[in-house]
Amino acid sequence: MTNETFRAVYETPGTYDRLLLRHFYGGTEDVDLVADWLTEHYAAPAADLKVAEFGCGTGRITDAMAPYAATMALADYGEVMVSAVARKFPGAETICADTSDAVAQLLAAERARTFDLVTAFWSLSYPIGEFFEEFSAAGVRLRNDQARAADQAGEFVRDLVRLVAPGGHLLAMLFDAESPEQQLVTRAWEKVAPFPRGGRAYTREVLIDALRAAESRGEGTLSHTRLGGVAWAPDRDAAHEWFFGVHFKHHPQLMKDSELAREVDDFLESFEMANGGVAIPSGVHFIDFHAVAHPYASLPIGLES
Ligand SMILES: C[S@@+](CC[C@H](N)C(=O)[O-])C[C@H]1O[C@@H](n2cnc3c(N)ncnc32)[C@H](O)[C@@H]1O
C-alpha cells in the first residue's frame, strides 16, 4: 500500500495517468466511444467545432476531440491537470477552477450558446455532489440545506445547457453507481459519511432529471445509454491501487481499514484471470443532450415544415 496523500490522484503530477485503469465497453475503450460518437455525428474531422471540456484531467479524451475542434476551452479544478493539458494543447484556453465556477465564468463572459460541444467525461458527479456534501480529508459532511442543494444543482445543469450552441451537444460519461464495483466503493465511503438520498446514483439522477426538464421545456432531446463493460487491471497491485488511490483517494480512514482491505482483496480475487489480470465489471452512462428545438426538429427531413 502506498503512502500517498489524500486526493494525490488528482493533485500530484503523473498519479492519475499511473493509476487509471483502461475501461472497455463491448470491446471498445471509453475514449473510442467518444471517437466513434464524433465520427457518427460529424464524419471526418473538419477542425470547425467550438469545444468546452470540464474535468478534462490530463486530456485523455480531449485527444479524440482535438481534430474536430477550431477552439477548445479546457477546465479542471486541479492545477496539475490544467498544466498537463496546457502543455499538450498549447492553443487551447485553459481554466483552473471548479466546474461550477468555470461554467459561471464562461456565462459571465457572454459565452452562452457558443459551444458546439460541451463535454465532461467521468467528472460531472463531483461538481454536482459538491452542492450536497463537502468533501475533505477531515470527512464528508452533508450540507445543511439539501433542498437548496437540489435547486442549485439543477441550476448548474441548466447553466451547462446554456453554454451549448443551437444544434450542439452536451456530452457526458458518468460512472454506474449500481455496478458491484461502485457498490463496494459506496459501502466504503459510507464508513466515512452517509450519502444524500441513500447512495451515489443521485448525482446521475440530478443530471438526468434536469436534462429531461430541459427537454420538456423544448430546449433539446436527451439520449441516455447505459453500457456494460470492464475495467481492466494488468495485475492485482494495479487493481488494488485503483481502489485505494482512485476510488478511495488515499483517504486516511479508508487506507487503515483492514476489514475494507480484505473486502477489496476478496472482490478482486473473484475477477482475477488466468493471466494475472483483473477484469472488474464496470458500467458507464453515456449521455447526449442535443440542443435542438424539440419536438419540431426531431422530424425526418420533409416532414418538419
Ligand atoms: C476521473 S477524472 C477524469 C478525467 C478525464 N475526463 C478522463 O476521462 O480521463 C476526474 C477529473 O475531474 C477533476 N475534478 C474533480 N472534481 C472537480 C470539480 N469539482 N471541478 C472541476 N474538476 C474536478 C479531477 O481533477 C479529474 O481531472
Side-chain angles (χ1 to χ4, degrees), residues 10 16 55-57 60 76-77 98-99 121-123 126 130:
Y10 296 152
Y16 176 67
C56 59
R60 207 172 57 88
D76 200 288
Y77 91 109
D98 193 279
T99 296
F121 304 111
W122 306 106
S123 71
Y126 298 107
E130 281 162 18

Side-chain angles (χ1 to χ4, degrees), residues 99-117:
T99 296
S100 53
D101 295 333
V103 169
Q105 204 175 306
L106 289 169
L107 289 173
E110 301 192 347
R111 313 255 312 258
R113 294 163 68 83
T114 62
F115 293 100
D116 303 298
L117 275 180

Side-chain angles (χ1 to χ4, degrees), residues 41-65:
H41 286 76
Y42 302 106
D48 57 353
L49 301 179
K50 294 195 170 105
V51 174
E53 184 182 5
F54 299 99
C56 59
T58 52
R60 207 172 57 88
I61 300 186
T62 324
D63 268 334
M65 299 192 290

